Amino acid sequence: MSRFVFLKAVLGPLMRLMFRPRVEGAERIPGSGPVILAGNHLTFIDSVILPLVCDRQVFFIGKDEYVTGKGLKGRLMAWFFTGVGMIPVDRDGGHGGVAALMTGRRVLEEGKVFGIYPEGTRSPDGRLYRGRTGIARLALMTGAQVVPFAMIGTDRLQPGGKGLPRPGRVAVRFGEPLEFTRYEGMDRDRYVLRAVTDEVMSEVMRLSGQEYVDMYATKAKAAA
C-alpha cells in the first residue's frame, strides 16, 4: 500500500468530517493520461483538500521548507507532505520557476495528474488574480488536458493561510476539460501563452464566482 493510499484511507474520513467537502464535477477528470488541474488558491488547506476529493493521486509543487524541518515534527511533516503528492522545490532561488516547470513536465510525461495554481501564490483578499503563463507552457509542451477547478470557502476556515483550520463546509467545483492541441509547437509564443492562460483563468472565475483582478497577486501583496 502506497503512503498516499494509506493517508487517504486513514485521514480521509477525518478530513471529510472536518471540512464536509461538496464536490461537483469530479467525474470530469480523465481516468488516465496526463492531466493538469488548474485552480484558484485561497489558503494553505487547498492543497490538502484537493487530493482528498480526487480519485487519482494529484502531484503538486510545494516549498522545500515543508520537508526540511528538524526533529520528529520535521520528519512527520516531510512524510505527510511527500506522501500526499507534494514535490519539494526551492522556488525562492533564481531558477525556482524553471525547476517547478520542469518538475511539472516530468510528472505529466509520466501520465500523472499535476495540480497547479496559476496565480502563483495565495490570493491576498479572496479575489482571483491574473494567471502566470507556466500553466500554458506545460499544457502546450505535454499535450495534457487542463481541468479547471475552484475552491470555495476554504479561506473562511483558515484566514490568511496560517494556524489550524476550523471545521466548516467547503466546496470544490471541476469544469470541463480544456485542450489546446490547436497551439501545438507554439509554447514559446507569448501571445499564445497569454491567450491559453486567460482562457483557463476565465473558466476558474466562472466556477468560483470570484471577482477578477487583472494584476499579479504578488504585485498586489507587495503594494499592500
Side-chain angles (χ1 to χ4, degrees), residues 86-112:
M86 192 197 89
I87 302 172
V89 170
D90 180 5
R91 296 181 301 176
D92 295 328
H95 301 287
V98 175
L101 186 68
M102 291 302 101
T103 299
R105 182 176 184 175
R106 174 175 57 81
V107 169
L108 293 167
E109 288 178 343
E110 292 173 355
K112 298 175 181 177

Side-chain angles (χ1 to χ4, degrees), residues 127-131 198 201 205 210-215:
R127 296 185 294 176
L128 185 69
Y129 283 79
R130 194 180 200 210
D198 288 348
M201 297 308 288
M205 179 179 66
Q210 290 170 281
E211 177 186 347
Y212 180 75
V213 183
D214 193 20
M215 174 193 299

Side-chain angles (χ1 to χ4, degrees), residues 7 10 15 20 51 56 73 96 99 117 135 138-141 163 168 181:
L7 287 167
V10 173
M15 303 295 279
R20 298 177 314 206
R56 297 178 65 185
K73 179 181 178 182
Y117 304 113
I135 170 69
L138 277 177
L140 300 189
M141 285 190 298
T181 54

Side-chain angles (χ1 to χ4, degrees), residues 10-188:
V10 173
L11 298 180
L14 175 62
M15 303 295 279
R16 288 184 181 279
L17 180 64
M18 185 173 183
F19 301 126
R20 298 177 314 206
R22 185 177 71 253
V23 184
E24 302 174 17
E27 72 281 356
R28 293 168 174 160
I29 302 173
S32 62
V35 178
I36 300 172
L37 299 182
N40 59 337
H41 195 13
L42 298 173
T43 190
F44 176 80
I45 59 171
D46 295 338
S47 297
V48 176
I49 292 174
L50 183 61
L52 174 68
V53 302
C54 295
D55 290 334
R56 297 178 65 185
Q57 183 171 8
V58 181
F59 293 87
F60 54 94
I61 297 298
K63 295 180 180 179
D64 61 351
E65 64 190 60
Y66 294 144
V67 300
T68 56
K70 304 297 182 181
L72 178 61
K73 179 181 178 182
R75 290 194 296 272
L76 286 174
M77 286 181 63
W79 183 82
F80 172 80
F81 284 116
T82 56
V84 297
M86 192 197 89
I87 302 172
V89 170
D90 180 5
R91 296 181 301 176
D92 295 328
H95 301 287
V98 175
L101 186 68
M102 291 302 101
T103 299
R105 182 176 184 175
R106 174 175 57 81
V107 169
L108 293 167
E109 288 178 343
E110 292 173 355
K112 298 175 181 177
V113 179
F114 186 68
I116 187 171
Y117 304 113
E119 291 169 281
T121 187
R122 293 190 294 266
S123 170
D125 53 17
R127 296 185 294 176
L128 185 69
Y129 283 79
R130 194 180 200 210
R132 296 189 175 273
T133 57
I135 170 69
R137 290 196 65 190
L138 277 177
L140 300 189
M141 285 190 298
T142 64
Q145 294 185 80
V146 179
V147 176
F149 72 88
M151 290 286 179
I152 301 170
T154 54
D155 53 337
R156 294 196 302 269
L157 306 188
Q158 193 183 35
K162 298 180 180 179
L164 292 175
R166 55 177 178 261
R169 185 154 205 182
V170 301
V172 187
R173 292 176 181 158
F174 295 94
E176 294 289 347
L178 306 173
E179 61 89 17
F180 299 99
T181 54
R182 61 191 183 276
Y183 297 123
E184 184 178 359
M186 303 176 72
D187 58 278
R188 295 187 179 277

